[in-house]
Amino acid sequence: MLKIYGSPLCKDCVICKAELEKAGVEFLYLDITGNLLFLKQFLKLRERSEFDTVREKGQIGIPCLLREDGSLTFDWDEFVREKS
């Protein structure tokens, strides 16, 4: 199942979650600001090369979508398009 690391404090995360729900995409939302275990998991993911540009720009990198195959993306529109 698709996992989304995000925070209700992040405008993009709120939009991402709403758009995926509207499109009927099944996912597990992991709030990194409300659960230390999820924050630790996210920080481990943040060590991956997919976050290089994010780190260079001084950004956090949420929402972060972790696919079942272990690949990461920051583009939730891809999943919305698949359901359309």
Side-chain angles (χ1 to χ4, degrees):
M1 175 179 287
L2 176 68
K3 293 181 181 178
I4 302 173
Y5 289 88
S7 169
L9 305 173
C10 167
K11 175 183 72 165
D12 289 335
C13 295
V14 172
I15 293 168
C16 170
K17 187 177 174 190
E19 289 293 319
L20 291 174
E21 286 172 347
K22 183 179 174 183
V25 175
E26 289 187 39
F27 63 91
L28 178 61
Y29 187 81
L30 306 169
D31 178 3
I32 65 170
T33 54
N35 185 303
L36 286 179
L37 176 62
F38 299 154
L39 176 59
K40 287 179 183 179
Q41 292 172 357
F42 173 73
L43 291 175
K44 183 70 176 165
L45 287 175
R46 216 165 170 273
E47 296 173 4
R48 293 172 49 166
S49 62
E50 293 95 325
F51 279 90
D52 287 350
T53 304
V54 171
R55 286 191 303 269
E56 288 170 7
K57 293 180 179 180
Q59 298 172 334
I60 297 170
I62 55 174
C64 172
L65 290 75
L66 178 63
R67 296 183 187 99
E68 287 185 55
D69 67 2
S71 62
L72 295 174
T73 186
F74 305 101
D75 179 14
W76 67 82
D77 287 331
E78 172 185 345
F79 295 93
V80 173
R81 285 190 301 270
E82 287 177 7
K83 286 290 185 176
S84 299

